[in-house]
Each structure stands twice: as C-alpha cells, then as structure tokens.
Amino acid sequence: MVDTEKEFERGIEAVDFDFSDVKGQESVKRSLEIAAAGGHNLIMIGPPGAGKSMLAKRLASILPPLTLDEALETTKIHSVAGKTGNETALITQRPFRSPHHTISDVALVGGGSFPQPGEISLAHNGVLFLDELPEFKRTVLEVMRQPLEDRRISISRARFTIDYPASFMLVSSMNPCPCGYFNHPEKKCVCSPGVVQKYLSKISGPLLDRIDLHIEVVPVPFNKLAEAPPSENSITVRDRVIKARRIQVERFKNKETVHCNAQMNSRLLAQYAMPDETGMQILKSAMEKLDLSARAYDRILKVSRTIADLEECDTIQSHHVAEAVQYRSLDRSNWGA
C-alpha cells in the first residue's frame, strides 16, 4: 500500500528545469517571479531565439509547492484522463501543459462522447503554456475566456453536466509580427505597413483583458551571454514567491474563492490594492500619457499589490505602481504602429 504523505514529501522538491540555466534576461525573470507570486497570467512577446520557451518552462520551478490537497486533486484529474501511468501514485509537481497550436477546441477544454478533462483541466494547479499564441485557431482561444474567469469548465450533454476544475496560470508567447523581427535591436522587420497590427489583432481584446503581464523579450547579445554572472537558482526565487503567497493566504483566509492577488474582484481591489497618493498620480499619468486602455487599470493594481507583497510591504507605494505599469506593453494603443 502506498503511503500518500511520504510519496508527496519525496516528490515535492524535484524540478526538471532551473532558473540558473538562463543567462541574462533579468527583467523577464523578474516578471516571471511576479507572475508566480500573484498567480498572474502572462504573455511574452519577442523575436525567435530570444528564450521565451526556455523561460516559460522554468516558471513551474518557482511556483509554490503543491499542498497535499492540491496534489490529490491534481492526481484525480489526471487519473480520470488516464494520464497518471504506473510510475507514481501521486502527482507532486505542479503540472506544465504545452499543447501544440493545432489543438482542437475539445482537446483544449475537454469533452467528447464520454467527456474527458481537456488541457486546461490537466493544467489545474499548474501552468498552461501556449507557444506562438496567434497561430492557435481563434475559436480555440475564445473558448478559454470563460474558464479563465470562472476557473472551472462545464461540459454539458443531453443527460448530464460535468464540471472540471481549471484554475491554471496561462503563460503564452508570440512573435511580434509574421517575420518575427519587429522591434528587434539588430535585424530589420520586413513586414509591410499594417501587418504588425493585423498580426496582433489575432488575439482578441477580451482574451488579452485576462492577461495581467505583457513582457517584451529581447535577445541577449553573445558578448553579454559570455559575461553574464551566474543567475539565482529556482529554489532561491521560489522562497520569495512562497513568502508572498503566504501573505495572500492570510489576506484572503475568509474568502473561499480567492487565494491569490490575480483572483481579486473590484471590491477586493478597493479594499487591498489602492496605492498611496503618489502612486495614484503615477497611475493616472501613465493611463493618459501612454494611452493605456481602461482594462489596464485593474491589472496594474493587482500586479502592484503582488510587487508590494514580494517586498513584504503593507501599502502599495509609487515604485510598485511604476514597475507594474511597465508590464502593460500590448495595452498601448500605438504598440506595433
């Protein structure tokens, strides 16, 4: 008979990828740390070879370890889908699912004649990574909107309805244009005028609305790669993430459906995420000068709250807001123009 708690303890520290493998890209690693600390969805945009996939695969290594209850719930879902195998009795690492862009609606959200969990449920308590986001079919992307909001997916049939949990972090990446080199520091973009905006428009506003951090990834030059000092390992980063998550668990201990900053609604934002006077002025100025969309307002406040939690700061200060504003690149109306 398998001892569930011992199985859980043995697997909890194992990681396949480590942050120390990545040279340079400190600003991107910082944004991944913020995303992990607050449970935020994230999109990375940059040219081929910039390291987007490499960075995304290491996000799971800095997420807080699964609790025993989460491990049991995750294992149940994978067992129903026939994904557990015979190697282990319990899933002890957060799932990292990376479906190909040719995936169908049913394979992503679940369903079939005998409804099975889809990729979004298999990513429950973990990460769903969608590489080359604009290459996914529009219908596939749009069916994610409801699960991203409700963190559950309902599959209805004539005689029954099945609910599967789908509380995952969406991490996605994309090239900035069809040729891949718009805004590249060295290579010239060969796309004709208007093509960049058309390419970006493949991702609908409502879906982009549910992504908190927009990160521009720029390739690291060879000379800087060679000179780059050793990076922090995943355990060091994860320790900071765990501390920030503990603050959020305490903050939302009486809120059954809210466990991290990314899940806050407008009422909770007003209660916990209002910056000081200087911070509010920075936010107002950014909204006006950068021509940010209205949907950016709540996202900036949520990310600001997480940045403050990483510093173990009770109040949201001006520098927290200033950093959060940097992570809204795709909300600027003139981006890609």
Side-chain angles (χ1 to χ4, degrees):
M1 184 175 179
V2 175
D3 188 323
T4 302
E5 291 193 4
K6 287 183 179 179
E7 182 78 13
F8 174 68
E9 290 170 359
R10 278 198 300 269
I12 197 169
E13 293 299 331
V15 293
D16 295 324
F17 301 98
D18 197 279
F19 255 34
S20 60
D21 301 332
V22 183
K23 290 189 175 182
Q25 301 292 13
E26 298 305 321
S27 62
V28 184
K29 286 187 280 190
R30 166 66 173 174
S31 66
L32 290 172
E33 180 180 339
I34 294 168
H40 302 288
N41 299 323
L42 174 146
I43 183 170
M44 292 180 282
I45 181 167
K52 302 186 293 295
S53 298
M54 184 180 185
L55 287 157
K57 289 176 181 177
R58 281 151 181 77
L59 177 60
S61 70
I62 64 170
L63 289 171
L66 285 169
T67 65
L68 182 56
D69 287 342
E70 287 176 332
L72 290 168
E73 186 178 35
T74 303
T75 303
K76 287 179 183 177
I77 296 169
H78 284 246
S79 179
V80 169
K83 302 288 186 181
T84 51
N86 299 319
E87 294 81 8
T88 180
L90 187 69
I91 293 174
T92 54
Q93 296 183 46
R94 292 191 179 273
F96 183 91
R97 306 295 299 184
S98 181
H100 192 260
H101 62 77
T102 57
I103 191 171
S104 67
D105 307 20
V106 171
L108 185 70
V109 303
S113 302
F114 300 95
Q116 295 288 306
E119 288 291 333
I120 62 172
S121 292
L122 293 172
H124 180 62
N125 291 325
V127 175
L128 178 67
F129 176 49
L130 301 184
D131 197 9
E132 301 302 338
L133 192 64
E135 302 304 322
F136 284 78
K137 291 188 295 184
R138 183 70 174 253
T139 54
V140 170
L141 295 179
E142 293 307 301
V143 295
M144 284 199 306
R145 286 162 49 183
Q146 180 260 333
L148 280 170
E149 197 72 28
D150 299 340
R151 299 185 181 272
R152 300 194 68 83
I153 180 70
S154 295
I155 302 171
S156 298
R157 293 294 179 265
R159 296 183 180 180
F160 57 86
T161 298
I162 297 178
D163 280 355
Y164 287 122
S167 182
F168 59 91
M169 283 179 60
L170 173 63
V171 178
S172 53
S173 70
M174 62 179 289
N175 292 333
C177 64
C179 82
Y181 296 109
F182 180 78
N183 270 357
H184 194 284
E186 297 175 357
K187 297 184 180 180
K188 184 178 180 180
C189 174
V190 297
C191 299
S192 57
V195 169
V196 177
Q197 283 289 357
K198 184 178 180 181
Y199 188 74
L200 294 176
S201 68
K202 291 184 178 182
I203 305 170
S204 70
L207 178 60
L208 201 61
D209 182 31
R210 290 161 173 80
I211 300 177
D212 296 347
L213 293 100
H214 308 162
I215 312 301
E216 292 187 64
V217 184
V218 180
V220 180
F222 174 79
N223 60 329
K224 291 190 176 180
L225 277 176
E227 298 169 359
S231 299
E232 285 185 310
N233 60 32
S234 291
I235 292 176
T236 302
V237 179
R238 185 172 63 174
D239 286 343
R240 294 195 294 267
V241 169
I242 290 172
K243 287 180 182 178
R245 284 288 186 109
R246 285 175 180 162
I247 292 171
Q248 294 164 56
V249 168
E250 179 63 24
R251 176 182 298 135
F252 305 124
K253 62 183 178 182
N254 297 321
K255 312 291 190 300
E256 291 185 5
T257 59
V258 180
H259 307 288
C260 58
N261 290 334
Q263 300 171 357
M264 285 192 290
N265 55 30
S266 298
R267 180 175 55 82
L268 293 175
L269 282 174
Q271 185 175 355
Y272 297 116
M274 286 296 107
D276 58 22
E277 185 176 348
T278 306
M280 188 58 77
Q281 286 298 321
I282 290 175
L283 178 55
K284 180 182 178 182
S285 177
M287 296 288 291
E288 294 173 351
K289 291 183 179 179
L290 301 178
D291 198 17
L292 296 175
S293 65
R295 64 175 177 260
Y297 178 81
D298 284 358
R299 306 295 167 183
I300 291 172
L301 290 180
K302 290 178 182 181
V303 174
S304 298
R305 179 68 270 171
T306 298
I307 295 170
D309 288 342
L310 281 167
E311 293 184 6
E312 300 181 53
C313 185
D314 292 334
T315 59
I316 297 177
Q317 299 173 9
S318 57
H319 66 281
H320 302 143
V321 177
E323 183 177 359
V325 168
Q326 297 176 32
Y327 302 130
R328 296 305 301 181
S329 298
L330 299 180
D331 260 327
R332 301 173 188 175
S333 62
N334 63 346
W335 200 98

